[in-house]
Structure formats: structure tokens, C-alpha cells
Amino acid sequence: MNEVIGRCPVCSEKMVVTRLECPQCGTAIEGKFELCKFCYLSKEQRDFLELFIRTRGNIREMEKELGLSYPTIRNKLDNLIAALGYEVEETPKIDKKE
């Protein structure tokens, strides 16, 4: 079976499901159903979220697994948080010269 896509491939708006069907008995329900907020994430974001859960949020483990730096992982995490509709806190910039 194909995976449900959450965003329109033409305009990127949120998609809605209009029919649900039980594969066992064939019962079908029609209407407009909203997908969960995780369904609207891109595949890359869902994969990142899965890794975050699998590593129990351990950024060092994520760095090893993805071969990326801490700032890159943190940026991806902030993007994921924003994509889920939450406010992202600004992290203070550290001046390395100090």
C-alpha cells in the first residue's frame, strides 16, 4: 500500500482524506477527515523525528548516525518543532572571541 501524503504536490497545501475503508470487511466512511500533524511533515522530517525518538533525544548519537554537526542537528530540530506548529525559542549566539 502507498503512504498517505499530507501536502499537495502542486501547491503544498494540506491534503484531506475523503474516504476511509476497512480492508477486512469493506466498510467505508466518506467525508472530510483531517490528518494528524505528523502526516503533514515531509519524509525527511519524519525520518529525523524517528531518529530523535530512537536515540531518546541524544544529540551526540544523532550526530554520529547522521554525520552532521551539532548546529545542523539543532537547526533541523528547530525546523521540525516549527513544522509541528510550536514556537521555537531563539538560542543566544555565543561569541567565540569572548
Side-chain angles (χ1 to χ4, degrees), residues 14-68:
K14 290 182 177 180
M15 302 285 279
V16 294
V17 175
T18 58
R19 180 179 165 91
L20 299 170
E21 184 175 332
C22 173
Q24 183 66 34
C25 70
T27 298
I29 302 170
E30 292 191 22
K32 286 189 176 180
F33 307 97
E34 189 174 310
L35 298 170
C36 75
K37 65 172 100 181
F38 299 105
C39 294
Y40 296 118
L41 298 175
S42 69
K43 172 141 177 48
E44 180 183 344
Q45 289 170 322
R46 289 191 314 269
D47 291 345
F48 182 84
L49 177 59
E50 185 177 347
L51 177 62
F52 182 83
I53 292 168
R54 195 171 68 239
T55 61
R56 296 184 172 149
N58 186 318
I59 303 275
R60 289 189 194 272
E61 286 297 316
M62 295 179 74
E63 287 176 282
K64 289 177 192 173
E65 184 96 17
L66 296 173
L68 299 173

